[in-house]
Amino acid sequence: MLEKILLADSGTGHSEEMLKALMDLPSIQKAAVTVLHVVSPQVSAETMTSKWEEGGKVLATAIQSLQLDPTKVSAILRQGDPKDVVCQVAEEIDADLIIMGSRGLKRLQSILSNSVSQYVFQLSSRPMLLVKDDIYVKKINRIMVAVDGSEAAKQCLQLALFLLRDIKGGQLILAHVDKGAATPGEKDPVLAEAIAEAKKQGIQPRAISTTGKPGEEICRIAEENNVDLLMLGSPDRRPSIAKSFVDLDRLLGSSLSDYVRVNANCPVLLARTVG
C-alpha cells in the first residue's frame, strides 16, 4: 500500500528520524523514497548560488543519514514556494505518503506564519505523516487508529493493518469517541466492524470506547497508551474546483485533524479520502 514515499526535508526537525522508523517496518522496506529539498527564490545570483549549495548539502546529509538502498532512493533539489513544490512533486511521483516536519502551530498561527505542512495538508489529497519538532520519534510498535465509521477511518485501518502485519509483538489500538454514551469494547457498533476486520487479518486489537470531545480524547488515549504512531482519517470535503485554494474556513474552524496534529504527543498520520 505504500510503494512511493516523499520525504520533504527542510534540514531541520525529525522527519528523517520518522522515515528511518518507518523503513524499519518489514512491510515498507521495498518502498521507493524520494527526498525533496526546496530552495526559496532569491533576489541575487550570489544568494541563489549559496542557497543551492546549502540545499545540496542538506540532501547529501539526508541520504547519508538514512542509509537506504541506493537503488530505492532519489533526491530532488528544486526552487520555488515550498508548499507548492511539495504538492507538485507528490503528484509527479504519485506519492503514496508525504512525510513532513511540523512546528505544531495552531490554525491562525499557521496562516500568519505561512506554515508549509498545514498548507500542503490542505492542498494535497495524499496521506501525510506529520512529525512535530518537539516530540521524540520511537520505534513503531503501538499503532492507534481513531475509528468513527467514515471511509477515511476505514482506509486508515487498512493502512495500519498493512504496517503491523509483520511486526512481532505489534499492537493495534482502536479508539472511538462518542459524543453521547459510550458502549464498552466490542459492543460498540462502530468499533465492532473495525475489530472484525483486524481479526480477519490475524491481529487482536485493543478497543477503547469513550465519550467527550473527540480531539481531546484521542490525544489523551494516545498519550496514556504510549502510542508510537497515531492514525486519523481526514476526509477532503472540498469540491474539485477548489483544490487549488486553501480552505480558510476549515483552517479557522473546528477541524479534528488540525486539533490532533497540534496537540498529539506522537507522530500523526492523516489519511485522506475524497468525501
Side-chain angles (χ1 to χ4, degrees):
M1 291 179 69
L2 293 181
E3 298 179 348
K4 299 175 184 177
I5 298 174
L6 174 61
L7 172 65
D9 196 338
S10 65
T12 62
H14 305 300
S15 58
E16 291 177 22
E17 295 168 44
M18 188 70 249
L19 178 60
K20 284 183 183 179
L22 200 62
M23 295 302 290
D24 280 341
L25 304 183
S27 56
I28 301 295
Q29 289 174 356
K30 293 182 180 179
V33 175
T34 298
V35 184
L36 169 68
H37 182 76
V38 184
V39 176
S40 299
Q42 304 297 322
V43 294
S44 70
E46 183 179 356
T47 307
M48 176 57 70
T49 300
S50 174
K51 290 296 181 182
W52 276 89
E53 290 176 352
E54 290 176 15
K57 290 178 182 178
V58 168
L59 286 177
T61 301
I63 297 297
Q64 185 176 20
S65 171
L66 292 170
Q67 296 183 333
L68 300 175
D69 181 349
T71 64
K72 293 288 186 179
V73 184
S74 59
I76 296 177
L77 180 61
R78 193 168 291 184
Q79 177 182 323
D81 186 328
K83 56 181 178 289
D84 293 331
V85 174
V86 172
C87 291
Q88 291 165 5
V89 173
E91 291 297 317
E92 289 172 14
I93 69 170
D94 194 21
D96 299 311
L97 179 68
I98 302 171
I99 300 178
M100 296 187 70
S102 168
R103 288 171 291 170
L105 301 177
K106 297 184 186 301
R107 289 181 292 272
L108 185 56
Q109 288 177 307
S110 296
I111 298 171
L112 296 177
S113 65
N114 201 25
S115 168
V116 175
S117 61
Q118 179 67 6
Y119 274 72
V120 171
F121 177 63
Q122 283 287 308
L123 297 176
S124 176
S125 60
R126 299 175 186 276
M128 288 188 65
L129 206 173
L130 297 174
V131 193
K132 288 196 300 180
D133 292 346
D134 61 351
I135 68 166
Y136 176 68
V137 176
K138 299 175 290 183
K139 182 177 180 179
I140 299 174
N141 183 69
R142 297 183 195 87
I143 297 179
M144 172 176 156
V145 177
V147 180
D148 61 9
S150 68
E151 287 304 313
K154 292 176 182 178
Q155 179 177 320
C156 236
L157 174 60
Q158 291 300 324
L159 183 53
L161 293 172
F162 169 76
L163 296 176
L164 281 166
R165 66 183 183 183
D166 295 316
I167 301 179
K168 293 182 179 179
Q171 300 175 37
L172 174 64
I173 299 169
L174 302 175
H176 176 224
V177 182
D178 196 327
K179 294 181 180 179
T183 305
E186 296 190 18
K187 293 182 179 180
D188 183 326
V190 175
L191 283 175
E193 183 180 352
I195 293 169
E197 181 62 28
K199 288 182 176 179
K200 188 192 303 181
Q201 298 194 35
I203 295 176
Q204 178 64 50
R206 180 185 176 197
I208 301 174
S209 185
T210 186
T211 60
K213 295 181 179 179
E216 294 177 8
E217 286 299 303
I218 288 170
C219 291
R220 178 188 65 79
I221 294 168
E223 183 170 6
E224 288 183 356
N225 288 273
N226 197 25
V227 166
D228 306 316
L229 178 63
L230 171 56
M231 300 179 63
L232 181 73
S234 182
D236 185 353
R237 299 185 176 89
R238 287 171 295 150
S240 298
I241 195 172
K243 291 293 182 185
S244 60
F245 302 99
V246 173
D247 187 349
L248 291 178
D249 289 338
R250 191 172 179 186
L251 275 172
L252 293 169
S254 55
S255 164
L256 174 60
S257 57
D258 199 61
Y259 181 92
V260 173
R261 172 190 68 83
V262 172
N263 293 284
N265 71 336
C266 61
V268 177
L269 196 157
L270 299 162
R272 310 305 300 270
T273 13
V274 177

